[in-house]
Amino acid sequence: MPDPASFRDQSNWGDGYELGIEVGSTRDAELQTLLSALWSAAGVRGCFGQRDGEPDEQDEVPCTVASLAEYGHVLGQILLPTGHLAVCGCTAVRGGDEGSDWLDFSVPTGALDKAGFVYSDGRPHFRSSVIDDWLAGIAMETFKEAPFSLGLVGWMVSGLADSAMLADGLPKERGMGYLLPRGGVLRYEAANT
């Protein structure tokens, strides 16, 4: 029987349904605060560096910026809105002199497929409003502990916009969800196309 929580089943991995977060900084301390808040808000079970062994077959790694650098990601398991346990992961894209760091939290579409999610909702984009709203809720909880510049929700959304691009407001037609702080409050505008 297919198991969306299996690390060893490589068909669970691949493209991700994402919560991409623009940190607003390039300092390790801010990235660590955000990673810790996100992992907690999402209720991720465990923190691992390898996909080739199940969680009970490997030692946990610290949920730290150092682990992100060493392994290229941190991995765990998350309870989906349907009650299914699924694999999940997080990577960092460091901005350096170019701009802000990004933290990309995702549930791979292979695992979502095995958990029975449908992605179209009758719209032209590869999207699930259930997953969008769930990831937006995780972002809202994360923001309470670790404010950030921008959050994007949807399939493969990291880097498709940044807070500087949105200085004049959000697009009227949105193929992804936006989480944008205004006056210290994080506002969520769902995808509408």
Side-chain angles (χ1 to χ4, degrees):
M1 177 140 190
D3 180 5
S6 173
F7 276 39
R8 187 170 279 129
D9 183 347
Q10 294 305 301
S11 68
N12 279 341
W13 302 100
D15 293 346
Y17 212 99
E18 299 174 340
L19 166 59
I21 299 175
E22 184 181 11
V23 180
S25 168
T26 58
R27 294 180 34 202
D28 283 357
E30 280 81 2
L31 185 60
Q32 180 61 60
T33 299
L34 185 61
L35 175 62
S36 297
L38 174 63
W39 217 248
S40 175
V44 178
R45 298 177 186 184
C47 186
F48 304 94
Q50 306 295 327
R51 291 181 181 157
D52 59 356
E54 297 300 336
D56 62 348
E57 300 169 348
Q58 60 179 306
D59 293 330
E60 286 197 46
V61 301
C63 189
T64 61
V65 172
S67 292
L68 285 171
E70 180 176 348
Y71 299 102
H73 54 244
V74 288
L75 309 170
Q77 295 172 318
I78 191 166
L79 195 60
L80 299 173
T82 59
H84 290 91
L85 193 63
V87 297
C88 63
C90 195
T91 59
V93 177
R94 304 306 299 258
D97 293 337
E98 301 289 317
S100 178
D101 289 344
W102 282 78
L103 198 59
D104 180 32
F105 179 77
S106 67
V107 179
T109 52
L112 290 173
D113 288 342
K114 289 180 182 150
F117 276 96
V118 177
Y119 300 107
S120 69
D121 290 350
R123 300 177 195 140
H125 298 286
F126 186 77
R127 185 175 64 246
S128 164
S129 59
V130 171
I131 296 293
D132 283 359
D133 293 346
W134 173 67
L135 288 172
I138 291 171
M140 295 285 201
E141 286 302 309
T142 300
F143 188 81
K144 291 175 184 177
E145 299 298 319
F148 51 82
S149 297
L150 174 66
L152 302 174
V153 174
W155 181 71
M156 302 293 291
V157 295
S158 288
L160 295 180
D162 61 42
S163 56
M165 295 170 60
L166 302 171
D168 294 329
L170 297 177
K172 290 189 187 336
E173 294 186 5
R174 298 178 300 279
M176 60 187 161
Y178 291 84
L179 294 126
L180 193 62
R182 292 288 188 243
V185 176
L186 187 63
R187 302 192 187 283
Y188 173 52
E189 294 291 335
N192 63 7
T193 61

